[in-house]
Amino acid sequence: MEEGRLCEWGVVRSILAILQWWGFNVTVIIMNKWIFEKLDFKFPLSLSCIHFICSSIGACLAIKVLKLKPLIVVDPEDRWRRIFPMSLVFCINIVLGNVSLRYIPVSFMQTIKSFTPATTVILQWLVWRKDFDWRIWASLVPIVGGILLTSITELSFNMLGFCAALFGCLATSTKTILAESLLHGYKFDSINTVYYMAPFATMILAMPALVLEGSGVLEWFQSPHSSIFSSLAIIFGSGVLAFCLNFSIFYVIHSTTAVTFNVAGNLKVAVAVTCSWLIFRNPISALNAIGCGVTLVGCTFYGYVRHMLSQQPPAPSHTPRNTKEMIPLVNDKLDDKV
């Protein structure tokens, strides 16, 4: 009886974790698009900087004041040698995501972001000379095919937005691959990750945002708005929700299995695409929708293949570790940290 109740509570907890993760993630994406499109705040560097500032303050409060997570102590030398390079890639990743949102619809941007598993595998194969099981390569075919079909049939195609989203996938892959070596020995959770990386990212981005967008932001303040205070509330509110997203990621990882997490991540993209279409009504052709669907099915298949290979017994000890890597080193779905 007790086991049955525990099982039921585990299922309920998993569903709640997934729903709140979807809620924070989709809300942040929609709010950012709303800021660019409806509030006419067309400054992705400044918006990213605001997000980093909110995340820095939020992580500090969560760890130092509320004691929600214990602080993972990092040697001062390691902060510059390990954390700073990660923060640079982390910063580039977030900025490219906001730049892509500035120029292309949420549906197109989210579909391209699903290309991340492919870029992770390709980077590890080209740069780190990792060898992958043929089933991993086969699982990438529908992902690449779906992305190509979606890009060709996208009615609101913009080259700058497309390139920003594509390079954002590369930045995400680089960030997660580098984490294997740079953060080796530190068991960071999402809150400690933000605690250390967000201040560095703020420092990296502050000057470029001021130089490139400072005058534009001043003009935006001086231009007529229905309410400058409500606009600022939305902008800073997106930063607060972006930080809350990190709690939801940590919670959902610890409440679900790897397979459930993978499927939920792909369904999250479908939810974001549907919500964005209902709000912004960006035109989507039938072939475009099919391409998006093929990409998501490919991502789910990739996650399934990776999980199945991870369950196989390790290779014999005489086989060198670097000669055969059955699965990628990293979890490609943790690209939501802001």
Side-chain angles (χ1 to χ4, degrees):
M1 193 73 174
E2 287 295 326
E3 290 182 2
R5 289 179 179 177
L6 287 174
C7 183
E8 290 178 2
W9 167 242
V11 172
V12 172
R13 187 177 66 173
S14 297
I15 293 174
L16 291 176
I18 291 170
L19 289 177
Q20 54 89 31
W21 176 42
W22 283 0
F24 280 122
N25 190 276
V26 173
T27 303
V28 169
I29 293 171
I30 298 298
M31 284 185 72
N32 288 350
K33 186 63 177 177
W34 184 277
I35 289 166
F36 291 133
E37 192 166 302
K38 302 298 183 180
L39 300 185
D40 203 35
F41 189 84
K42 303 183 183 299
F43 310 106
L45 298 183
S46 300
L47 182 63
S48 300
C49 199
I50 291 171
H51 282 195
F52 291 138
I53 292 171
C54 292
S55 295
S56 299
I57 296 172
C60 187
L61 290 174
I63 292 176
K64 292 292 187 67
V65 179
L66 301 178
K67 308 291 185 181
L68 297 178
K69 295 294 298 181
L71 175 64
I72 297 175
V73 180
V74 178
D75 185 76
E77 182 181 347
D78 279 347
R79 294 187 186 188
W80 288 99
R81 187 165 55 90
R82 297 188 183 190
I83 306 296
F84 183 79
M86 283 291 300
S87 301
L88 178 60
V89 182
F90 173 65
C91 180
I92 293 171
N93 178 37
I94 300 302
V95 169
L96 287 174
N98 282 333
V99 169
S100 64
L101 271 180
R102 162 75 172 80
Y103 291 101
I104 59 177
V106 172
S107 57
F108 191 30
M109 179 262 196
Q110 286 288 292
T111 305
I112 298 173
K113 288 286 287 182
S114 299
F115 193 55
T116 301
T119 57
T120 303
V121 171
I122 292 170
L123 274 178
Q124 288 183 323
W125 178 63
L126 287 176
V127 181
W128 282 269
R129 300 298 180 184
K130 303 292 183 183
D131 190 20
F132 295 100
D133 188 275
W134 68 269
R135 284 166 287 186
I136 287 290
W137 292 108
S139 69
L140 299 182
V141 173
I143 298 177
V144 176
I147 293 290
L148 289 175
L149 180 59
T150 304
S151 302
I152 292 172
T153 59
E154 176 58 46
L155 300 176
S156 305
F157 185 87
N158 178 278
M159 182 56 72
L160 180 57
F162 171 78
C163 291
L166 190 60
F167 281 107
C169 292
L170 291 172
T172 300
S173 300
T174 303
K175 178 191 69 175
T176 48
I177 292 172
L178 285 177
E180 285 290 326
S181 57
L182 291 178
L183 301 184
H184 179 71
Y186 290 106
K187 296 182 179 180
F188 278 141
D189 54 71
S190 57
I191 306 304
N192 273 276
T193 299
V194 173
Y195 177 84
Y196 283 107
M197 291 188 185
F200 273 133
T202 304
M203 181 180 67
I204 293 167
L205 192 58
M207 188 56 66
L210 184 62
V211 172
L212 298 176
E213 297 180 348
S215 59
V217 172
L218 289 176
E219 290 179 5
W220 179 83
F221 270 107
Q222 296 169 0
S223 61
H225 292 87
S226 57
S227 174
I228 190 67
F229 294 106
S230 62
S231 297
L232 288 175
I234 293 173
I235 292 172
F236 280 93
S238 71
V240 173
L241 289 176
F243 168 72
C244 293
L245 176 59
N246 292 281
F247 277 104
S248 68
I249 293 172
F250 178 80
Y251 184 44
V252 78
I253 289 173
H254 286 77
S255 302
T256 61
T257 63
V259 175
T260 303
F261 185 59
N262 176 266
V263 174
N266 294 317
L267 289 176
K268 178 206 69 180
V269 176
V271 172
V273 169
T274 303
C275 291
S276 69
W277 181 80
L278 291 173
I279 294 173
F280 299 105
R281 295 291 179 176
N282 56 287
I284 300 177
S285 66
L287 285 176
N288 189 265
I290 292 173
C292 180
V294 170
T295 301
L296 296 182
V297 170
C299 288
T300 304
F301 180 50
Y302 165 83
Y304 172 76
V305 170
R306 195 181 68 175
H307 175 73
M308 294 300 295
L309 292 175
S310 69
Q311 302 303 307
Q312 293 184 355
S317 58
H318 65 271
T319 303
R321 184 178 185 274
N322 289 332
T323 60
K324 191 69 175 177
E325 284 290 338
M326 299 281 284
I327 58 174
L329 295 172
V330 295
N331 192 330
D332 314 305
K333 280 291 165 190
L334 293 185
D335 58 357
D336 298 317
K337 295 178 182 179
V338 190

